Amino acid sequence: MKSGWTGKILRIDLSRRKSVVQDLDPKVAVEFLGGRGLAIKTLWDELPPGTDPLSPDNPLIFATGPLTGITMPSSGKMVIAAKSPLTGGYGDGNIGTKASIQLKKAGYDAIIVTGKADDHSMIAINDGNIEIEPAKDLWGLDTYKAQDELEARYGKNSGILVIGPAGENLVKISVVTSEKGRAGGRPGIGAVMGSKNLKALVITGSKEIPLDNPREVIRLGAEAFKDVKSKESYDFWIRQGTMATVEWANENSALPTHNFNEGVFDGFEKIGGNSMERIYKVSQKGCPNCNMPCGNITEIREGPYQGRRTEVDYENVAMNGSNLGIDDMNWVMTLNLYADEMGLDSISMGSTLAFATEAVERGLISKEEIGVNLEWGNGPAMLEMAKKIASRDGFGNVLSEGVAYAATRLGREANKFAIHVKGLETSAYDCHAYIGMALAYGTSPIGAHHKDAWFISIEVREGRSIASKERVEKLVWMQNVRGGFFESAVACRLPWIELGLDLEWYPKFLKAATGLDYTWDDLYTISNRIYSLIRAFWIREKGGWSRSMDYPPIRWFKDPLTKGPLAGTRLDRESYDKMLDWYYEIRGWHGNGIPKKGTLKNLGLEFVIPQLRKVVNLE
Ligand code: PTT
Ligand code: SF4
């Protein structure tokens, strides 16, 4: 096995209480890198088709890549993946945590957990020593208390991954958390962990990460860390991180407001990056190996959580602020902290609350029926409803399954304002005016998330709503770099995307770590392979495919913006269809979104053909 990877995968079967260490197939490592690539290859090979995501057979995968943990800017990330209980398709998230580095130092590239413990449990890994331990006393604790307890037991340097009560209650919008303020696995990966009776993993490692040329990694690292610090926007980034996006999104009519009805919000300044910095920010936090820390630690000044601290990012604030009509930052921070403590995905929580509020407004369900005075801007009512979601109480039980399910339950016109793609709630960019970003959501491999292509940045810079093939080529390039490369080499993409760190650093780091000469063309092919394999997985699990599964929320086509400089704007269906056609063509897929046989063969994915043939026509 090459260096860069440890060459080992730790498999833990909770039902049999057994663990085994396997070799990582070197061909898989070279062709899929790690992280998302390794996760989708594992799911394709090992998940029995049609498996219930909350059954013991769903593998829960924690995967690093060849860049994770090395001396390189922002290398402290890992991917957490499984078949999603929220969407029924491929699901993953990316989390910055000491656990990523500890995992590699313990000697593993990934952990694959299967089965179900017969009682509440946790896993403790210390190099080769693997223990499945009782966690009765941890079950029911919020993620902050559980983190504190585990740090006290295993030390502050151990890598800790933990779920909250939402994951325990199998809430389908629950995440895995770490270190009070890091969260990953939006498509319900917290519930997958809960379904295995697994409260936490604690990882400690003492080994060196094997590297082809350790001195070169250190030399490159020293230069690259310096390069990051020298960037023009470095100082501002450190002050506000992703929070500056609130003002930017409002200026560009993209700030989700009242359940993505509008793209501008009157109270945007009160919840924006400048207010956050001036009034609420108390300190700064970052992921391991990062010298551009973007965690804004803020203090709640009023309300039930007065005096408590929470880490805020753009997505959390937009989804639980403007999207709920809340302009009081204290309530936005309160909702954010509640999501973190419960292990609820803050994006989907904001989206389901907004959906419920609109359902009440439209008379599809009454306040009396749900027992909460849900209305725009009412922070206390939103918190009350969020509590019902985390505990699956009353109407909260319906919302805990996500907006797509809730819309089906409510029936009538509810689908028109359920803001999701493939069942995953849309993250915080309103796309009435951004057809490229709408396509990014439509074709994202986990459902509506911006991770794979933050295409709106290009549309704002180079012109909105241009429906050209060249634009789609750029979008596919962006997906391949972000969703293919960064998710599989596993490193934070923000040094590149936010500060402009040159992409050419990354093949150099790969060479020094693994000894392999990857060019960007090679990495692009790997990304194409990963995208087509993820698409094949979705098709297999859904039993077919149709173009409509790659459409953005209907609202953006139907209801134009009524406020702000872009009032009157909505998406044009014909242009979207044209762009989707180009998208499929560039990816080598048929006009119905199904990969062509030739594409699968060219990418070395022949092995999917027999299974896919059972459900769709590939010719
Ligand atoms: C990510 C999604 C995001 S994207 C945010 S804020 W963002 C939300 N954060 C949540 C949170 O916090 N608490 C909570 N209970 N739920 C949350 N849900 C939302 O989850 C995150 C940073 C950020 S902040 C972003 S953009 C970048 N994302 C990266 C990525 O996806 N890949 C990558 N290679 N690098 C990235 N760097 C940045 O990391 P998901 P984190 Mg996250 C509190 O998990 O499922 O991927 O969804 O991981 O360690 O918290 O870092 O404006
Ligand atoms: Fe973590 Fe932010 Fe640094 Fe990325 S830039 S590694 S998200 S602290």
Side-chain angles (χ1 to χ4, degrees):
M1 185 68 214
K2 288 276 168 201
S3 332
W5 297 273
T6 67
K8 301 286 174 204
I9 291 182
L10 174 61
R11 290 178 173 275
I12 301 173
D13 181 339
L14 288 170
S15 300
R16 296 197 188 128
R17 301 184 64 81
K18 285 220 152 52
S19 68
V20 59
V21 178
Q22 284 186 340
D23 289 340
L24 168 66
D25 178 349
K27 189 167 162 1
V28 171
V30 171
E31 292 182 357
F32 290 89
L33 291 181
R36 179 180 264 186
L38 181 61
I40 186 58
K41 181 71 169 66
T42 305
L43 284 169
W44 178 273
D45 290 346
E46 299 181 14
L47 180 110
T51 298
D52 173 354
L54 296 179
S55 80
D57 286 342
N58 191 10
L60 173 60
I61 302 161
F62 301 85
T64 65
L67 295 185
T68 308
I70 71 168
T71 311
M72 185 191 84
S74 312
S75 70
K77 293 265 183 185
M78 75 156 68
V79 167
I80 310 180
K83 179 176 175 183
S84 160
L86 183 64
T87 68
Y90 173 75
D92 72 15
N94 190 305
I95 187 166
T97 162
K98 287 177 204 154
S100 331
I101 295 176
Q102 294 290 357
L103 179 59
K104 277 189 94 171
K105 284 173 123 184
Y108 312 107
D109 294 305
I111 307 173
I112 301 173
V113 182
T114 49
K116 178 180 181 179
D118 55 11
D119 207 349
H120 305 148
S121 300
M122 60 163 285
I123 296 171
I125 298 164
N126 185 349
D127 290 342
N129 188 24
I130 319 297
E131 305 285 348
I132 299 168
E133 294 181 353
K136 260 193 166 355
D137 53 338
L138 297 172
W139 206 259
L141 289 189
D142 71 49
T143 65
Y144 276 44
K145 292 199 180 94
Q147 175 83 29
D148 283 342
E149 180 57 37
L150 291 167
E151 274 182 16
R153 284 187 210 169
Y154 294 91
K156 277 197 180 312
N157 286 332
S158 49
I160 296 170
L161 296 159
V162 65
I163 57 166
E168 295 172 11
N169 294 335
L170 310 184
V171 170
K172 291 188 181 166
I173 55 171
S174 57
V175 284
V176 179
T177 76
S178 189
E179 296 159 29
K180 303 180 180 177
R182 301 277 125 185
R186 290 199 53 216
I189 310 300
V192 175
M193 197 154 146
S195 74
K196 298 190 177 309
N197 258 338
L198 182 60
K199 176 73 178 178
L201 284 96
V202 181
I203 310 165
T204 330
S206 64
K207 301 176 188 165
E208 289 284 323
I209 297 173
L211 296 170
D212 185 69
N213 188 342
R215 291 174 79 171
E216 178 64 357
V217 171
I218 288 174
R219 190 192 70 75
L220 284 171
E223 269 184 46
F225 276 112
K226 218 157 83 191
D227 196 3
V228 165
K229 269 205 148 161
S230 73
K231 298 294 178 198
E232 203 186 323
S233 41
Y234 181 84
D235 288 340
F236 185 61
W237 174 259
I238 295 292
R239 281 169 30 214
Q240 296 201 0
T242 59
M243 278 295 292
T245 314
V246 174
E247 284 91 342
W248 177 88
N250 192 71
E251 191 184 321
N252 292 294
S253 289
L255 185 65
T257 301
H258 297 146
N259 198 26
F260 288 87
N261 240 316
E262 304 290 350
V264 291
F265 180 54
D266 287 342
F268 79 95
E269 280 169 319
K270 289 167 95 184
I271 58 167
N274 292 332
S275 299
M276 183 280 302
E277 187 188 348
R278 216 180 47 245
I279 308 171
Y280 304 100
K281 185 161 176 174
V282 289
S283 67
Q284 191 85 22
K285 190 170 149 189
C287 308
N289 287 5
C290 179
N291 70 335
M292 48 177 281
C294 67
N296 295 302
I297 308 297
T298 54
E299 190 170 295
I300 302 170
R301 310 284 187 207
E302 285 167 23
Y305 281 34
Q306 186 181 11
R308 297 280 313 273
R309 293 181 174 188
T310 182
E311 185 178 328
V312 291
D313 273 302
Y314 166 69
E315 302 291 329
N316 326 117
V317 169
M319 295 305 293
N320 295 286
S322 52
N323 204 40
L324 301 179
I326 299 179
D327 65 4
D328 180 342
M329 190 63 172
N330 285 302
W331 276 106
V332 178
M333 292 185 294
T334 298
L335 289 167
N336 186 54
L337 178 54
Y338 184 73
D340 276 349
E341 284 185 333
M342 292 300 117
L344 280 167
D345 172 40
S346 57
I347 294 175
S348 292
M349 184 180 103
S351 193
T352 47
L353 291 173
F355 170 83
T357 307
E358 186 162 349
V360 168
E361 190 178 54
R362 286 170 175 254
L364 267 65
I365 189 159
S366 69
K367 291 179 183 177
E368 292 68 36
E369 274 172 279
I370 59 176
V372 181
N373 182 28
L374 266 193
E375 58 194 4
W376 301 120
N378 187 339
M382 296 296 175
L383 180 62
E384 213 182 321
M385 196 70 233
K387 288 183 178 172
K388 287 181 180 285
I389 296 176
S391 59
R392 284 185 171 271
D393 174 22
F395 190 58
N397 190 35
V398 174
L399 296 178
S400 73
E401 300 276 315
V403 294
Y405 174 83
T408 311
R409 276 292 295 269
L410 287 186
R412 292 183 281 171
E413 82 261 39
N415 261 319
K416 293 187 189 150
F417 60 93
I419 311 298
H420 70 94
V421 175
K422 300 181 179 67
L424 181 67
E425 289 75 16
T426 307
S427 58
Y429 300 94
D430 186 277
C431 291
H432 281 87
Y434 296 96
I435 196 162
M437 189 67 216
L439 184 66
Y441 279 138
T443 59
S444 151
I446 59 168
H449 193 48
H450 60 286
K451 175 199 307 273
D452 290 74
W454 190 45
F455 201 71
I456 191 169
S457 58
I458 289 189
E459 295 184 288
V460 166
R461 229 176 22 242
E462 299 173 14
R464 278 187 310 106
S465 295
I466 298 171
S468 68
K469 186 167 180 188
E470 195 198 339
R471 274 287 166 96
V472 184
E473 278 163 353
K474 251 189 200 169
L475 169 62
V476 173
W477 169 81
M478 207 183 224
Q479 286 185 331
N480 281 358
V481 174
R482 293 167 60 116
F485 171 71
F486 280 104
E487 294 314 309
S488 300
V490 194
C492 179
R493 62 173 185 258
L494 298 186
W496 163 61
I497 200 79
E498 295 291 350
L499 299 192
L501 188 73
D502 201 311
L503 279 180
E504 287 313 318
W505 278 109
Y506 294 97
K508 288 184 201 161
F509 276 110
L510 273 176
K511 165 82 178 160
T514 67
L516 297 173
D517 276 307
Y518 284 107
T519 63
W520 267 106
D521 279 350
D522 300 330
L523 297 171
Y524 206 76
T525 302
I526 290 174
S527 299
N528 282 332
R529 182 176 298 127
I530 291 168
Y531 269 78
S532 281
L533 185 54
I534 294 180
R535 176 51 59 105
F537 181 81
W538 274 93
I539 295 169
R540 185 184 80 179
E541 297 308 309
K542 294 283 174 186
W545 203 254
S546 76
R547 287 173 73 89
S548 62
M549 289 157 122
D550 293 327
Y551 281 145
I554 321 169
R555 158 154 287 168
W556 296 336
F557 290 116
K558 295 244 187 246
D559 313 330
L561 295 171
T562 68
K563 291 188 181 151
L566 301 179
T569 311
R570 64 185 157 105
L571 288 184
D572 176 52
R573 178 68 172 264
E574 237 175 79
S575 304
Y576 187 86
D577 267 324
K578 244 192 319 187
M579 289 181 80
L580 190 57
D581 281 339
W582 283 318
Y583 182 87
Y584 292 153
E585 186 190 321
I586 295 163
R587 285 236 170 266
W589 298 351
H590 290 290
N592 53 5
I594 295 169
K596 293 179 178 168
K597 202 169 81 185
T599 304
L600 294 171
K601 284 187 170 167
N602 289 339
L603 293 171
L605 298 175
E606 300 85 347
F607 59 89
V608 307
I609 294 174
Q611 285 196 40
L612 276 195
R613 272 213 180 109
K614 289 185 192 160
V615 286
V616 289
N617 183 4
L618 296 172
E619 308 307 325

